[in-house]
Amino acid sequence: MERTFIAIKPDGVQRKLVAEVIRRFETKGFTLVGLKLMQVSRELAEQHYDVHREKPFFAGLVDFIISAPLVAMVWEGEGVVASARTIIGATNPLTAAPGTIRGDLGVSIGRNLIHGSDAVETAQREIALWFKEEELVSWSPSLTDWLY
Ligand code: RTP
Ligand code: MG
């Protein structure tokens, strides 16, 4: 079953939106298989956003990610990588559609509340970067027959 890496960024934790974000993935029907609150190291933040290393916003982005606790999660379900990106909305909350997390809850591209892996291969890389194998729990909720 497909898995994706989701992080509630420090602004989401500071604004007490952890439950709101989790609710959206849970009520959609996806399954939580990994969850932890973390104070992220600079090394991990830089590795996570390695693809943006040459961008002008890289240094500020890394400083922001390590500035306060973050919630790291892995969610599972059919097509969860692309669906999570839809639930999250466009990078800039000002143009993200209403109904999306960023569209409903944010106003700044630099404080856009949440990260979601952008492709299945990216998700595999990010899950391995953020979680040890033993931190992930494989389980099937008894609801599965009613979802698929
Ligand atoms: P993320 O990786 O955090 O889920 O966000 P994303 O895929 O929607 O956007 P991406 O292009 O990967 O950018 C990563 C994060 O960098 C910040 N950013 N700032 N012009 C800017 O100031 C700018 N562009 C991007 C955003 O916080 C974005 O989430
Ligand atoms: Mg991205």
Side-chain angles (χ1 to χ4, degrees):
M1 187 68 90
E2 192 171 296
R3 290 178 171 180
T4 195
F5 174 69
I6 300 291
I8 304 172
K9 296 178 182 180
D11 53 335
V13 177
Q14 293 289 324
R15 290 181 53 197
K16 311 287 187 183
L17 293 172
V18 172
E20 169 69 21
V21 169
I22 290 175
R23 183 187 65 78
R24 291 179 182 229
F25 288 94
E26 268 196 321
T27 54
K28 175 71 173 169
F30 292 126
T31 300
L32 183 63
V33 297
L35 172 70
K36 56 184 174 181
L37 179 75
M38 303 172 63
Q39 183 68 55
V40 180
S41 69
R42 182 173 294 277
E43 184 188 11
L44 176 56
E46 288 180 350
Q47 281 182 288
H48 174 74
Y49 280 122
D50 190 56
V51 68
H52 296 309
R53 206 172 274 272
E54 306 306 324
K55 306 268 175 61
F57 58 79
F58 180 75
L61 177 59
V62 169
D63 285 346
F64 164 59
I65 292 295
I66 68 173
S67 65
L70 164 159
V71 172
M73 300 182 283
V74 177
W75 287 87
E76 184 176 274
E78 290 183 14
V80 67
V81 173
S83 179
R85 295 281 290 188
T86 302
I87 291 167
I88 289 168
T91 306
N92 185 346
L94 289 179
T95 55
T100 65
I101 290 170
R102 288 169 174 166
D104 286 350
L105 305 172
V107 290
S108 167
I109 193 168
R111 299 285 185 273
N112 62 4
L113 297 163
I114 180 166
H115 162 81
S117 306
D118 62 12
V120 172
E121 303 74 47
T122 317
Q124 289 165 352
R125 184 187 87 84
E126 291 176 351
I127 290 167
L129 182 63
W130 287 82
F131 283 87
K132 297 177 187 140
E133 190 58 45
E134 62 266 28
E135 291 177 317
L136 299 174
V137 179
S138 294
W139 66 292
S140 293
S142 53
L143 280 170
T144 300
D145 285 351
W146 302 98
L147 286 169
Y148 296 110

